[in-house]
Amino acid sequence: MGFFRFVFGAIAAAALWLVPASASLAQDAAPAVVTEVQASEIPDVIPTSAFASRSSFNSARLSPDGSRFAFTVLRDDQMYLSVFDSSTRELVGGIALGEPDDFKWFRWAGNERLLLSMLGRDSRYDLRFSRLVSFNLEARRLRPLVLNRMSFDGDNIIHTNHDAGFVLVAIAEGWGRPPDVWRFDLTSEEHDDEIRGVKVESRQNSVGSWLADETGVVRIGLGVRGYSRRLGMRYRSNAGDNWETVARVRLDDTDARDLWDFMGLRAGSDVGYSIAVPPGGERRALMEFDFSTGEPGRIVFQSADEDVSSVVFGPDRTPIAVGYAGENYRREWLDPQIRRWREQLGAALPGSDVTILDIDDSNTRMLVLQSGPADPGALYVFTPGERDLALFAEYRPGLQPEMLATPRAMRYEARDGTSIHGYLTLPRGRDAANLPLIVHPHGGPYGVRDWDDYNDMVQLLANRGYAVIQPNYRGSGGFGESFELLGHGQVGRVMQDDLDDVVAHLVAQGTVDPDRVCMIGSSYGGFAAVWGAIRNPEIYRCAVSFAGVMHFERQLAHDSDYLFGRNRGRHWDRIDGDQTNFDLDDVSPAVQVRRLTRPVLLVHGEKDNRVPFDQFELMVGRADNAGIELETLALEDSGHGFYNPEDEQAYYDAIVDFLARHNPAD
């Protein structure tokens, strides 16, 4: 991953087709000539295949020396890891990883090795577990990192040493036990088919997670002690020091607990960093944190209007960039040299946003993404010393940016006076009056948000003549802690009001025809779509759900198995809230299905491990029992996302056909 510690926020490498090319980063670099479609012209219908033509380059990352870069590729229902030479952009190696749901992530562990996090299933408990596997690129050899007895969470890397070829992993020996810290020597040939670990830090009853500095010294332990309901911090300044408890905080003290999102711990210093809301503040900021006292320190960087959502660290673990989460995602480079490079890249690639995705350890090579709201984007390899900017691949070569529509940020007032942010995309060539509308809520729902980046679904619908609104309803991230907290315990209620209220706002403006409104969403957005059709049939003519939650009590029970660590309890608290008079069955579509009077298209992947396929089956079964007909599409080879372009195109085709019958644009 180079020297970056990335929290990507909205920036992620998306689907690409390989279209090699090269360009020079020179003062006279000429921008591409684009012929604009006039506003009065309605673009030709773009085939659905153009929006589904993905070979899925995901999370592209440079090797530490920048000589290679790797990414995952989805092809024929299988995930592959592909490695390319950065200079020639030629394929130099790779490996088949199996089905997409069996793979979590990868990272470089030296210039010749990668670590893969893979998922398996324990048939005794019907639970998923994670394991680390080392892949030697030169030998083309896979070797698992193993213990005699491992818990379900086996991929928690707390330190990687590229030069010495070892990693430190926090692993519990058995379900429900605190984790020890194990060292795995990736260069060892002691065992031919596996890599055995050596314990370097023994478990402590009060420690559930460990943190190390950049030299690999384990120096922080966090966890809950017994039944105290307090989160405690164990700390030491050096490897030879004794462990001491330096701070405790109540688990229900959200403000204090959220300060404990630690990063940037440096050898020889007791000061690291945290992204949190400062005491008495409202917006998340990058702050110093004194681990020896357990107290927050000075604010390193904050914005008056936007949350800090990410930080980039240099090799000495000092911040070199911060990211914002406001109406759009922006990264400000604090390092002056990288900032100059970013400015030069922006001049060489005009027309869309330019983002530096990754940099190697010595700042000799970068991966660069150019994309925009109406620009699917392209991936470049940049070598500053040679001033060479090479186009590696375009994201959607079958789409012409001049045929696409540009979303614009907007705000509206919900019925209780809360200001809600969203993005409105209007179809090209049509008057902004009396348009058919698609409400397109994001998933999550908490801490997640929509951005003004390129979106296949939005562009498909706009091309077919629909206005599309993406509301960042309460509970969404990026707009301050108070706004996110407004959504806790409001699933299907006030959060749903926010979706209804944007329809009323656009109708009052004359932009939207009130008789031609549908909702389409995925995951939580899929729930919101079906629930909207049940709850407010006077607003929505129809609804489409992909991988939507249909029964919340069953989903939360599944999440208890699926989620690891303290996120398990936090997720439940956010959904259920602290109200004793609220029953989730009252907002679960599978329970309330007899109230449904509008057409619904229900789509689900049979291999979905996030929202299991039995949510789909339950909804279909209860609708049948109630004598209610649903339109359905079950995708045998997909999960919580699409595993092949055929399934994605089938979904788009089903939506286009469904809307033509139940909410035609013309």
Side-chain angles (χ1 to χ4, degrees), residues 89-101:
R89 275 83 63 197
E90 296 291 335
L91 181 69
V92 296
I95 189 170
L97 301 175
E99 295 187 355
D101 266 7

Side-chain angles (χ1 to χ4, degrees), residues 297-614:
R298 72 181 181 91
I299 296 174
V300 178
F301 191 92
Q302 72 176 149
S303 167
D305 302 315
E306 300 171 342
D307 285 335
V308 172
S309 60
S310 65
V311 59
V312 182
F313 288 103
D316 60 352
R317 296 230 180 154
T318 58
I320 60 173
V322 292
Y324 299 89
E327 289 191 349
N328 50 46
Y329 183 85
R330 301 190 305 278
R331 176 174 293 125
E332 180 170 338
W333 289 96
L334 308 178
D335 181 282
Q337 180 59 67
I338 300 177
R339 185 166 60 247
R340 284 193 293 271
W341 285 333
R342 166 62 185 80
E343 292 170 353
Q344 292 175 6
L345 288 165
L349 299 171
S352 294
D353 295 331
V354 175
T355 301
I356 298 174
L357 289 177
D358 201 6
I359 306 180
D360 67 12
D361 283 349
S362 57
N363 292 9
T364 59
R365 188 160 278 134
M366 302 179 185
L367 292 179
V368 177
L369 170 68
Q370 183 187 30
S371 65
D375 179 2
L379 183 69
Y380 294 81
V381 179
F382 176 42
T383 308
E386 301 174 8
R387 298 183 64 79
D388 180 67
L389 180 63
L391 172 63
F392 176 69
E394 295 180 352
Y395 279 51
R396 291 284 191 274
L399 296 178
Q400 301 175 9
E402 65 271 20
M403 304 290 288
L404 303 177
T406 301
R408 60 178 178 86
M410 58 165 286
R411 281 194 174 271
Y412 63 97
E413 190 173 284
R415 65 191 67 181
D416 64 354
T418 301
S419 178
I420 307 294
H421 174 273
Y423 294 103
L424 177 64
T425 304
L426 299 177
R428 297 186 70 124
R430 292 171 170 85
D431 293 334
N434 210 38
L435 291 167
L437 176 70
I438 303 297
V439 181
H440 188 44
H442 63 73
Y446 299 109
V448 181
R449 58 160 296 172
D450 269 320
W451 309 82
D452 64 342
D453 52 1
Y454 173 82
N455 184 296
D456 281 313
M457 178 65 76
V458 170
Q459 295 298 336
L460 169 65
L461 294 170
N463 178 255
R464 294 310 194 268
Y466 296 92
V468 185
I469 181 65
Q470 299 167 271
N472 281 314
Y473 47 85
R474 70 192 69 201
S476 301
F479 302 98
E481 183 182 35
S482 296
F483 184 79
E484 184 174 335
L485 290 172
L486 287 175
H488 286 200
Q490 294 299 326
V491 164
R493 299 189 295 168
V494 179
M495 293 166 70
Q496 196 78 17
D497 292 344
D498 292 345
L499 306 180
D500 300 342
D501 292 345
V502 74
V503 177
H505 173 81
L506 294 172
V507 168
Q509 286 189 329
T511 306
V512 165
D513 180 350
D515 294 326
R516 293 193 293 166
V517 180
C518 286
M519 195 185 306
I520 298 175
S522 300
S523 196
Y524 177 84
F527 150 76
V530 177
W531 180 234
I534 294 174
R535 180 183 186 248
N536 296 103
E538 75 282 4
I539 299 177
Y540 303 103
R541 287 182 59 165
C542 58
V544 179
S545 166
F546 175 80
V549 177
M550 297 293 110
H551 194 294
F552 271 101
E553 291 288 353
R554 294 193 182 194
Q555 179 62 33
L556 287 173
H558 171 77
D559 287 345
S560 294
D561 296 338
Y562 186 88
L563 298 173
F564 294 120
R566 54 181 176 156
N567 287 330
R568 178 182 304 163
R570 185 177 297 184
H571 185 63
W572 190 294
D573 290 342
R574 287 173 171 176
I575 295 292
D576 201 22
D578 57 2
Q579 303 169 68
T580 58
N581 61 345
F582 173 47
D583 189 340
L584 284 169
D585 282 354
D586 293 341
V587 298
S588 291
V591 180
Q592 304 296 325
V593 67
R594 292 184 181 276
R595 297 167 53 188
L596 180 62
T597 59
R598 293 296 193 183
V600 166
L601 171 61
L602 203 66
V603 185
H604 216 109
E606 295 187 19
K607 297 180 179 179
D608 194 339
N609 288 312
R610 181 65 58 87
V611 178
F613 187 65
D614 59 23

Side-chain angles (χ1 to χ4, degrees), residues 46 80 102 114 144 170 204 251 287 334 358 512 615 622 632:
I46 301 172
Y80 297 85
D102 293 334
L114 299 105
Q204 299 183 28
L251 289 178
M287 305 172 57
L334 308 178
D358 201 6
V512 165
Q615 290 271 329
R622 292 196 175 182
T632 62

